Amino acid sequence: EVQLVESGGGLVQPGGSLRLSCAASGFTFSRSWMSWVRQAPGKGLEWVANIKQDGSASSYVDSVKGRFTISRDNAKNSLFLQMNSLRAEDTAVYYCAGEAGTYHGFDYWGQGILVTVSS
Amino acid sequence: QSALTQPPSASGSPGQSVTISCTGTSSDVGGYNYVSWYQQHPGKAPKLMIFQVSKRPSGVPDRFSGSKSGNTASLTVSGLQAEDEADYYCSSFAGSRNWVFGGGTKLTVL
């Protein structure tokens, strides 16, 4: 059974930092592109960032470029999102998501973790 | 990186068919056959229903089908059932390994 379990969320002040983690199991993590997708309260889904299987390439949505960094540790089947200079508009449930095949879209999803940016 | 356009709501009676549209540009929907659709029930994670325009993952009922014409993709749900009531999101590859989602459509089964 595929499992993605996010951790590290919580309340942070504007300008602060937070590091999200995602533990993967049940599929070959090292063969999958992995992404973070977020959903602001009552809003739609927004793709945030992704990273290639070996970690050699990554992409970001414009609104987080220069502030967020995605990384992975294939030895530990783990995905990370380092979030700096957080803003109120970054408040959302953050999902870890994975692609089972090339350009499949997001086959695997975690349960999500809430990040709240507020003073 | 503009969001794809979906109608905010759609509805149908049990047994009927409903189609949800997803309009993008030649830089995303129209440029690639990499459109996917997701179903999200309240408080739950999204679930992949269609990938690469018209392919169904294992376990997804064949009542769900996808298509594309030009810059617009569509999801059709046939033989509507009560459990199909949910939010539906389209997504498209947008080049340079970027992805973009639609704003979502709330499907109501009357």
Side-chain angles (χ1 to χ4, degrees), chain A residues 29-43:
Chain A
F29 179 78
S30 61
R31 293 184 184 174
S32 297
W33 275 83
M34 296 297 297
S35 287
W36 289 97
V37 176
R38 68 184 178 184
Q39 187 169 33
K43 302 298 184 182

Side-chain angles (χ1 to χ4, degrees), chain A residues 52-71:
Chain A
K52 194 177 178 180
Q53 292 94 329
D54 63 0
S56 63
S58 58
S59 296
Y60 299 88
V61 68
D62 285 347
S63 60
V64 308
K65 283 180 181 176
R67 300 188 300 123
F68 290 12
T69 302
I70 189 172
S71 61

Side-chain angles (χ1 to χ4, degrees), chain B residues 37-54:
Chain B
W37 289 90
Y38 303 86
Q39 176 191 67
Q40 187 180 36
H41 288 108
K44 301 294 186 181
K47 175 186 176 183
L48 180 67
M49 305 301 285
I50 296 288
F51 68 97
Q52 292 175 358
V53 176
S54 60

Side-chain angles (χ1 to χ4, degrees), chain B residues 31-101:
Chain B
Y32 308 94
N33 287 323
Y34 300 140
V35 176
S36 47
W37 289 90
Y38 303 86
Q39 176 191 67
Q40 187 180 36
H41 288 108
K44 301 294 186 181
K47 175 186 176 183
L48 180 67
M49 305 301 285
I50 296 288
F51 68 97
Q52 292 175 358
V53 176
S54 60
K55 299 177 182 178
R56 276 188 310 277
S58 174
V60 173
D62 60 6
R63 302 186 294 103
F64 291 85
S65 62
S67 63
K68 192 188 85 167
S69 177
N71 295 338
T72 298
S74 298
L75 172 72
T76 298
V77 185
S78 305
L80 270 174
Q81 299 182 4
E83 58 263 34
D84 299 333
E85 184 162 297
D87 293 328
Y88 290 84
Y89 294 90
C90 63
S91 177
S92 174
F93 183 70
S96 301
R97 255 302 173 171
N98 291 342
W99 294 87
V100 61
F101 280 94

